[in-house]
Amino acid sequence: MSTRGFGQQYYEFRYQNNVKISDGTNILNNPWAGGLNSAVFSKIHLNQDDIEDLFVFDRTQNKVSTYLAQQINGQWSWQYQPEYEAFFPDSLSDWVVLRDFNQDGRKDLFTKSNLGIRVYENVTPVNGPLRFALKEDFVRFNNGVNLQVSGDDLPAITDMDNDGDLDILCFDFYSGHTIQLYKNMRVEDNLSPDSLRFKLEDAWWGKLTKCEDACGSFMFNSACRTTGTKHSVPVTILALDLDNDQDKDVLIGGDPCSELVQITNQGTPTKAVMSSSGVKKTFPDNTTPANFRQFLAAYYEDVTFDNVPDLLVSPYLPANMDGINTNQSIWLYRNTAAANASPAFEFLQNNFLQNFVLDLGEDSAPAFADVDADGDLDMLVGNYATMKGDNMVSSISLYTNIGSATAPEFRLETDDYANLSTLGLQGIKPRFADLNNDGRLDLTFSILNSSTGSNKYILNQAAAEQPFRFNVSAVQSLDIGENTGDVAVFYDLDNDGDQDAIVAASFLISDTSGPLLFYRNTGTAAQPVFTLENEKFGGIEFQEEANRNLYPLIADLNNDNSPELLTVDNRGVIRIYANFMADLSANFTETPALFANSISNSAVRSRLGTHVALAAADLNGDKQPEIIAGNTGGGLFYLTQQLRTGTGISEEEKARLNIAVFPNPANQEVTVTGPEKMQVALFSSDGKQVRRNTVPNKEHRIKLVGLAPGLYYVRVHTATGKTAGYKLLVNP
């Protein structure tokens, strides 16, 4: 989480979540929190108060989302707080669960690695902020053998034998048909609390065998009666005490089954005994049972603020291959029992965290234009597809701006703008451009399932300054792009009065090509002809994992009449290339795009998830467009941005310098002290130096009289050559 060096410019982004969005009478209270599809749940203290907060890892996005437990007007609720996401390791994939393995009251992190299970220890200081350190690159058992768990499986990491440490229950990595219990030997071997020593305690836990001949099919004390080769299939386990007899029962989800199976442990905490009489193929059976088109996973966490764990169920999928309705993919069952009783689950809702957020399923892609010709910008959002009848089809949702040009408020008008769903397309990503030079914005969009090209358009048939009008039967294809899924953005790049195009290529088109293709318009403004001129635009290299699904955007971010080129890759990292139109054949230089983090006082790379799509729109009238981002989750993020000058080094290095800046905020004078002699300078938020003490001293007093109120940056340069930056708020 390092900041940039002094004098280096970067674009600073900040999350915002207060612009209203409504759907009918429902006003969304977390409108810009992004969507969720395949959610893995845990709880953790994010802000070090007395109430645990919510951690969500979405498998389709490989993205962390963090929610604070907040009490508003006497009511507890979950409020999206993305700044905590940066404190978690950035290499998480497949699954993540938070458990306290060393009993220090801080949840540690378990996740999948190529070698099995990776563990990060929670080493957060008493007053924060949150911090993790790698504990084990892979968990070992017996004589140092790595404990392998498939990335498609979800193990149970819990205290199975009630001895106070965490054990691991998972299906056999190689066959996937029997459950194995790995016992934590910390108590038995009298080891230190932070030890992670495991023993394969039971290679056939409960004498249970999962069969492939039917969903919910299990054998006990014998192998399955099947022929042919046995194949390992993905499976999830939740271990919990369902009958209050002090041992762990299990809820199992498995591909391709759509329901949870309950299997009751009829043995003891140290010796599981299971039989066919303990199997229930529908769970919960006293209320609406969990059921998806794809296999699912269950989680046991208190999310209703009554100190009793509830049941959460979500599809456990890395990609939606079976048409799951992913904007209703988190089912919440309230536990109505007392804390010390057998749980009693009651179905509460099928869209936990999703009912108060804009969530259009998957692959949301925003665009902005004054669609209704009332003088402000409206918002359109495409998506991958939703179920209409028995078909998965894409559409565009229109949210009209019922606020103003400087104070927007969006309301859902239709979920099928221009009736595009009738085309049976998938993966619509809309944009606007005047393709025929008639002074009216036309609708352009890319898609994923067309044999006639990925980029389409419909000409705007409305009169000038009238609400847009598009005839779905008049859709046309653009001869641009080389691969399915290529995304085009249009702009007059060579300043000759017509629209050229940049295309993000989803695959290499030659051995020397890059992720961006430049098409010059060799036709006219009214009848464009796009000719490929540069197959490695900007000299940007193609990186297979990162640049697939690259998304380009052109916008004048700082109102200097020189637009920037933005790209966002498949890891959710935004990159910005300023002044790129000065030489279209040059290799572009990146200007960093960093997200301000007020908790750590640092600026960090973005983590927006996968399949990110960007749009730019000046929604508050400050001449600096906001950036709206969609992603695989189906929701949106609202980002403000401003060009900054870098202000320091990493937080770890600053901590070692032991510099104090006080008072902060200040109004008349600020004092800067440290153990070394140093020089001190003060910079305004736009990078201008406003004060400077050049004589090295251990203490500096800087007069602030005459400075405008606002945010400033204190730069410290020590006699030993170390440099650091600190934020200072100057009050009136």
Side-chain angles (χ1 to χ4, degrees):
M1 294 192 300
S2 62
T3 57
R4 310 302 297 182
F6 283 97
Q8 181 177 359
Q9 289 188 320
Y10 70 98
Y11 283 90
E12 180 184 81
F13 290 83
R14 293 180 181 271
Y15 288 99
Q16 189 169 319
N17 199 20
N18 59 359
V19 174
K20 291 182 180 179
I21 299 179
S22 59
D23 180 353
T25 59
N26 182 26
I27 298 177
L28 309 180
N29 67 0
N30 270 318
W32 307 94
L36 297 170
N37 298 333
S38 177
V40 180
F41 288 93
S42 297
K43 292 182 71 178
I44 186 173
H45 288 290
L46 293 174
N47 57 354
Q48 314 308 314
D49 65 3
D50 294 332
I51 305 296
E52 276 197 314
D53 307 295
L54 195 58
F55 169 95
V56 186
F57 180 78
D58 192 291
R59 299 190 74 228
T60 65
Q61 307 177 56
N62 270 339
K63 181 184 181 302
V64 169
S65 295
T66 48
Y67 297 80
L68 286 181
Q70 292 188 342
Q71 192 174 38
I72 301 175
N73 298 324
Q75 296 292 320
W76 285 97
S77 64
W78 298 108
Q79 297 296 316
Y80 182 57
Q81 181 51 266
E83 290 190 322
Y84 289 97
E85 296 165 8
F87 293 95
F88 291 88
D90 61 3
S91 57
L92 304 178
S93 65
D94 295 316
W95 55 264
V96 183
V97 295
L98 306 180
R99 304 286 188 267
D100 182 8
F101 78 82
N102 54 5
Q103 297 181 313
D104 64 354
R106 298 174 292 189
K107 294 283 184 70
D108 308 295
L109 188 150
F110 294 74
T111 187
K112 178 70 176 72
S113 76
N114 290 334
L115 297 174
I117 299 176
R118 179 177 291 144
V119 183
Y120 292 89
E121 184 178 0
N122 187 337
V123 293
T124 302
V126 174
N127 296 319
L130 199 65
R131 186 181 301 168
F132 290 92
L134 181 64
K135 172 66 176 176
E136 298 283 353
D137 195 40
F138 60 93
V139 171
R140 301 164 176 83
F141 73 99
N142 291 1
N143 295 318
V145 180
N146 54 319
L147 198 166
Q148 277 283 15
V149 176
S150 169
D152 294 324
D153 289 1
L154 181 65
I157 302 177
T158 188
D159 185 2
M160 294 294 297
D161 52 9
N162 302 330
D163 67 350
D165 53 29
L166 292 177
D167 309 299
I168 298 175
L169 193 69
C170 60
F171 272 82
D172 172 32
F173 177 72
Y174 297 101
S175 74
H177 294 88
T178 58
I179 297 179
Q180 297 179 331
L181 172 63
Y182 294 88
K183 178 179 174 58
N184 190 328
M185 301 303 295
R186 181 182 66 81
V187 173
E188 288 75 11
D189 292 348
N190 196 28
L191 302 173
S192 64
D194 64 347
S195 65
L196 286 168
R197 182 184 295 176
F198 290 90
K199 170 188 173 184
L200 178 56
E201 180 75 2
D202 194 339
W204 192 10
W205 186 78
K207 296 297 185 286
L208 175 155
T209 305
K210 183 178 182 294
C211 305
E212 298 177 12
D213 55 343
C215 286
S217 177
F218 294 89
M219 294 293 293
F220 299 90
N221 295 292
S222 66
C224 299
R225 291 185 287 271
T226 58
T227 59
T229 303
K230 294 182 179 181
H231 299 283
S232 176
V233 295
V235 65
T236 66
I237 305 175
L238 173 64
L240 72 167
D241 186 2
L242 290 169
D243 51 10
N244 203 28
D245 64 352
Q246 308 308 309
D247 61 28
K248 294 296 192 297
D249 312 297
V250 291
L251 297 178
I252 295 177
D255 189 21
C257 306
S258 60
E259 295 180 322
L260 284 175
V261 175
Q262 173 188 344
I263 305 179
T264 301
N265 183 355
Q266 299 161 337
T268 68
T270 56
K271 184 64 176 179
V273 176
M274 294 182 168
S275 68
S276 58
S277 64
V279 176
K280 290 185 179 180
K281 296 184 179 181
T282 299
F283 186 87
D285 61 359
N286 63 313
T287 185
T288 304
N291 191 303
F292 293 92
R293 291 185 178 217
Q294 178 58 279
F295 85 108
L296 39 83
Y299 311 93
Y300 195 47
E301 302 283 0
D302 174 24
V303 296
T304 57
F305 304 102
D306 60 1
N307 296 316
V308 180
D310 306 296
L311 183 72
L312 292 155
V313 182
S314 186
Y316 194 73
L317 66 159
N320 187 6
M321 304 299 294
D322 296 302
I324 291 173
N325 186 1
T326 51
N327 57 5
Q328 295 181 343
S329 60
I330 304 174
W331 290 23
L332 169 60
Y333 294 82
R334 183 196 297 274
N335 188 349
T336 59
N340 57 354
S342 300
F345 298 118
E346 176 184 72
F347 177 72
L348 196 62
Q349 63 185 108
N350 62 4
N351 56 357
F352 174 66
L353 294 181
Q354 298 173 306
N355 56 328
F356 291 119
V357 64
L358 187 149
D359 190 337
L360 299 180
E362 295 175 88
D363 289 6
S364 46
F368 289 84
D370 187 6
V371 172
D372 53 9
D374 66 349
D376 54 33
L377 293 175
D378 307 298
M379 180 171 69
L380 293 95
V381 188
N383 67 355
Y384 171 71
T386 54
M387 289 299 298
K388 293 188 181 296
D390 292 328
N391 299 313
M392 290 284 289
V393 296
S394 182
S395 63
I396 294 177
S397 296
L398 169 62
Y399 292 82
T400 55
N401 186 350
I402 60 174
S404 68
T406 58
E409 180 178 341
F410 298 102
R411 180 181 64 196
L412 178 64
E413 202 68 31
T414 176
D415 63 0
D416 192 12
Y417 180 68
N419 297 313
L420 287 177
S421 70
T422 60
L423 298 176
L425 303 174
Q426 292 181 348
I428 294 178
K429 292 180 168 60
R431 296 186 189 268
F432 290 99
D434 184 4
L435 290 181
N436 60 351
N437 199 37
D438 64 355
R440 295 169 293 181
L441 291 175
D442 307 305
L443 177 63
T444 73
F445 54 95
S446 63
I447 57 174
L448 293 175
N449 64 332
S450 173
S451 60
T452 58
S454 294
N455 288 280
K456 311 287 185 182
Y457 72 97
I458 307 175
L459 294 177
N460 189 348
Q461 299 177 353
E465 299 183 0
Q466 294 298 308
F468 293 179
R469 185 161 58 89
F470 299 107
N471 184 350
V472 68
S473 64
V475 63
Q476 300 181 61
S477 296
L478 285 164
D479 186 17
I480 193 170
E482 305 289 331
N483 309 297
T484 299
D486 286 359
V487 176
V489 58
F490 300 93
Y491 202 89
D492 184 7
L493 297 171
D494 52 10
N495 291 311
D496 65 350
D498 57 31
Q499 298 284 321
D500 307 296
I502 298 173
V503 173
S506 54
F507 297 95
L508 286 171
I509 65 171
S510 76
D511 291 339
T512 58
S513 66
L516 294 181
L517 315 176
F518 168 44
Y519 286 80
R520 191 185 298 275
N521 185 352
T522 57
T524 65
Q527 294 183 316
V529 176
F530 297 105
T531 303
L532 178 61
E533 184 166 303
N534 188 341
E535 65 176 22
K536 194 175 182 180
F537 190 54
I540 301 170
E541 297 290 339
F542 192 98
Q543 300 174 12
E544 179 71 18
E545 188 63 29
N547 286 347
R548 184 170 292 179
N549 302 308
L550 199 72
Y551 199 89
L553 174 68
I554 298 173
D556 186 359
L557 296 180
N558 56 347
N559 193 33
D560 64 353
N561 296 314
S562 177
E564 284 73 31
L565 170 65
L566 294 81
T567 66
V568 60
D569 64 26
N570 208 35
R571 299 166 299 184
V573 175
I574 296 175
R575 302 181 188 278
I576 298 177
Y577 304 94
N579 200 30
F580 77 103
M581 287 172 51
D583 185 354
L584 297 177
S585 62
N587 290 342
F588 299 155
T589 300
E590 178 187 353
T591 302
L594 301 173
F595 278 60
N597 193 301
S598 62
I599 301 168
S600 65
N601 289 320
S602 63
V604 299
R605 282 286 191 185
S606 56
R607 299 185 188 180
L608 295 172
T610 57
H611 294 196
V612 179
L614 302 177
D618 182 8
L619 297 174
N620 59 7
D622 66 353
K623 308 299 183 184
Q624 296 188 131
E626 284 65 53
I627 301 297
I628 309 301
N631 72 357
T632 302
L636 297 176
F637 302 101
Y638 188 113
L639 309 174
T640 62
Q641 58 81 26
Q642 186 173 358
L643 185 62
R644 298 284 195 186
T645 298
T647 59
I649 60 174
S650 72
E651 291 301 303
E652 292 79 7
E653 292 172 293
K654 287 200 292 186
R656 287 195 292 270
L657 288 179
N658 198 25
I659 303 295
V661 178
F662 63 92
N664 193 358
N667 55 18
Q668 298 293 319
E669 184 180 80
V670 64
T671 299
V672 182
T673 65
E676 299 182 41
K677 288 186 177 182
M678 57 191 167
Q679 296 175 329
V680 175
L682 186 65
F683 291 80
S684 62
S685 61
D686 59 2
K688 295 179 181 179
Q689 183 176 289
V690 295
R691 297 284 189 273
R692 186 181 182 186
N693 287 359
T694 58
V695 178
N697 280 304
K698 292 184 179 181
E699 180 176 311
H700 292 262
R701 297 180 184 272
I702 302 174
K703 300 295 184 182
L704 305 177
V705 176
L707 295 182
L711 184 65
Y712 291 79
Y713 300 94
V714 178
R715 183 185 69 180
V716 171
H717 185 76
T718 71
T720 56
K722 300 171 184 175
T723 300
Y726 303 84
K727 291 184 179 181
L728 171 68
L729 185 63
V730 175
N731 283 341

